[in-house]
Amino acid sequence: MAAALALAGCSSSGGQDGPTTLNYTIWDQNQEPALREVADEFEAQNPNVDVEITVIPSKDYWTKIQTQMSAGTGPDVFWVNGPNFQLYASNGQLAPLDDTGIEAGDYPDSLVDLYTYDGSLYGAPKDFDTIGVYYNKALFDEAGLEYPAAGWTWADFQNAAQKISDPAKGVYGTAAAPYGQMTYYNTILQAGGEVISEDGTTSGYDTPEAAEGVQFWADLIANGSSPTLQQLTDTWPGDTFSSGKMGMFLDGSWAAGTYSAAEAIADVIGVAPLPIGPTGENTSVVHGLANAVSAKSENLDVAKEFAVFLSGEEAAEIQAKTATVIPAFNGTQQAWVDALSTIDAQIFLDAVETGAPLPISKNTTAWVPVEEDYIKQILSGQLDTETGLKELAAEMNDLLAKE
């Protein structure tokens, strides 16, 4: 927390007590340089405002934010995501942004809806992301396979994964990573299922469609196309892909810059849309972050101004050219595509059209650990898919009933 917070009600032009200091807290070190540039521009336009950026690693982020907010020492402005947003908004910890002049039409509808609670906007959309298939052209060439392209199917993906895999050499076709947004959330949707009902009150895991979407990944581990769950736990699969030892890896648009710059694969990397599932769709989960303002900020007005600036067109253009994330402000995304000249990053933008929102409820963080535990038991072979998902759905429904 900034040590020199100005008096409540201070404007961005500063007051008699000196500059207003805002603390802006994020979790991604890779984005700090671009956001520092954005903050510098805000300071230039508001000479009596200083912005301090704090980076908390993602694994500790929400624990520390909650501790700070409970103690009244939270940041003025900070990142929020879909799974955590509603809990903070419903507890009165976020300031509504309806009076800031944010135009909903400047952002994708899905993001505005995601950060609206009880009719009020509590997060200024910052960026969005979709999922694609990163692949290694050299490994496809060695296996005598054509490169993935629009219209390819689950069967094509499974065939390629199996042909590329050579566990004896430490090479795998893909990774059945136990991360919902990157893997099984997408295949559940492509099989015609859902993780949670649209109103966020009922689990969708006890259906044949959900089972088909999860079994897709269990089969890849069982036939050796993916490392085992233990191997995936020991080594982040993105590192395996970056080292040139994996044929395909499903990951978000946020990773495009990192993989494109990885020395071992920079000359052979490609990206493709997700494969088409049993329903004939290749639906990708769509998510995105927002800049939220603490309701207890002692600089509430200035903090709101900064949050709006962070999510505005000027800030979006600065972030886009760094190729880190897709900016949320409509009309600025092409600069992100252009910055990634070695891959067809357009596939990530195209995925929005047929995408579906990240599944959330009012207290998503209550059921996600349960979900992850059951999925890991299924992927490791401790539970069969149908039994595991029915037990998961029952526990998830109990937790949802308490929200």
Side-chain angles (χ1 to χ4, degrees):
M1 183 67 179
L5 291 175
L7 296 175
C10 183
S11 73
S12 60
S13 60
Q16 295 179 347
D17 295 332
T20 296
T21 302
L22 296 178
N23 181 278
Y24 179 40
T25 298
I26 65 176
W27 65 67
D28 186 354
Q29 189 81 49
N30 291 331
Q31 294 191 48
E32 184 180 13
L35 293 172
R36 183 65 259 171
E37 188 176 342
V38 173
D40 289 345
E41 184 57 38
F42 183 76
E43 290 174 346
Q45 296 179 23
N46 300 272
N48 289 323
V49 178
D50 290 333
V51 177
E52 296 178 348
I53 298 178
T54 299
V55 181
I56 299 176
S58 57
K59 65 183 178 62
D60 301 320
Y61 185 84
W62 291 108
T63 300
K64 289 191 175 182
I65 287 289
Q66 186 54 53
T67 299
Q68 292 173 346
M69 298 291 274
S70 297
T73 59
D76 299 286
V77 182
F78 61 106
W79 284 1
V80 291
N81 60 11
N84 290 277
F85 151 73
Q86 287 196 19
L87 188 62
Y88 281 78
S90 64
N91 288 336
Q93 293 177 305
L94 304 183
L97 302 177
D98 302 307
D99 60 350
T100 59
I102 290 177
E103 295 288 343
D106 288 334
Y107 306 95
D109 292 342
S110 59
L111 288 183
V112 174
D113 292 344
L114 179 64
Y115 291 108
T116 297
Y117 179 77
D118 271 357
S120 289
L121 184 69
Y122 285 92
K126 174 186 173 294
D127 58 55
F128 68 83
D129 50 71
T130 62
I131 307 300
V133 180
Y134 295 89
Y135 65 93
N136 183 318
K137 295 178 182 176
L139 293 180
F140 270 75
D141 290 342
E142 287 178 21
L145 295 165
E146 293 185 2
Y147 301 145
W152 70 320
T153 66
W154 277 18
D156 297 329
F157 182 95
Q158 292 163 321
N159 178 58
Q162 199 155 17
K163 285 191 173 179
I164 291 171
S165 290
D166 188 347
K169 295 182 179 178
V171 175
Y172 291 92
T174 190
Y179 313 122
Q181 183 183 359
M182 293 162 54
T183 55
Y184 55 89
Y185 284 1
N186 302 287
T187 48
I188 288 173
L189 292 165
Q190 293 158 12
E194 61 183 9
V195 172
I196 193 170
S197 59
E198 192 171 342
D199 62 2
T201 61
T202 307
S203 173
Y205 273 116
D206 53 350
T207 66
E209 292 82 6
E212 188 171 16
V214 173
Q215 189 64 43
F216 176 89
W217 298 103
D219 288 343
L220 290 166
I221 291 180
N223 67 18
S225 297
S226 163
T228 65
L229 181 64
Q230 186 60 55
Q231 289 171 317
L232 292 169
T233 302
D234 292 342
T235 303
W236 165 243
D239 289 343
T240 307
F241 178 75
S242 295
S243 71
K245 296 290 187 179
M246 184 171 287
M248 301 173 287
F249 185 47
L250 271 66
D251 206 344
S253 48
W254 61 80
T258 299
Y259 295 140
S260 297
E263 185 176 352
I265 58 172
D267 295 333
V268 295
I269 188 174
V271 291
L274 295 180
I276 292 174
T279 61
E281 301 291 339
N282 68 334
T283 312
S284 165
V285 168
V286 181
H287 183 232
L289 304 186
N291 293 297
V293 176
S294 169
K296 296 180 180 178
S297 170
E298 295 182 33
N299 307 284
L300 192 58
D301 292 341
V302 189
K304 286 184 177 181
E305 287 182 33
F306 182 52
V308 172
F309 186 81
L310 282 166
S311 296
E313 184 173 11
E314 187 173 0
E317 290 174 343
I318 291 173
Q319 292 181 85
K321 69 183 181 183
T322 65
T324 48
V325 291
I326 304 173
F329 197 94
N330 288 334
T332 64
Q333 291 88 9
Q334 188 58 46
W336 178 82
V337 174
D338 294 343
L340 292 160
S341 59
T342 61
I343 61 172
D344 180 15
Q346 182 64 38
I347 67 108
F348 291 106
L349 300 188
D350 294 343
V352 175
E353 187 174 342
T354 56
L358 184 78
I360 61 170
S361 67
K362 186 175 180 180
N363 191 7
T364 311
T365 55
W367 53 265
V368 164
V370 177
E371 173 194 63
E372 292 177 347
D373 181 57
Y374 274 102
I375 293 295
K376 287 179 179 178
Q377 290 186 66
I378 292 169
L379 294 181
S380 64
Q382 297 176 54
L383 279 174
D384 70 82
T385 302
E386 185 176 352
T387 300
L389 293 187
K390 285 185 176 178
E391 293 179 9
L392 164 58
E395 289 196 35
M396 188 170 159
N397 282 329
D398 287 343
L399 292 168
L400 291 171
K402 297 174 183 176
E403 293 186 356

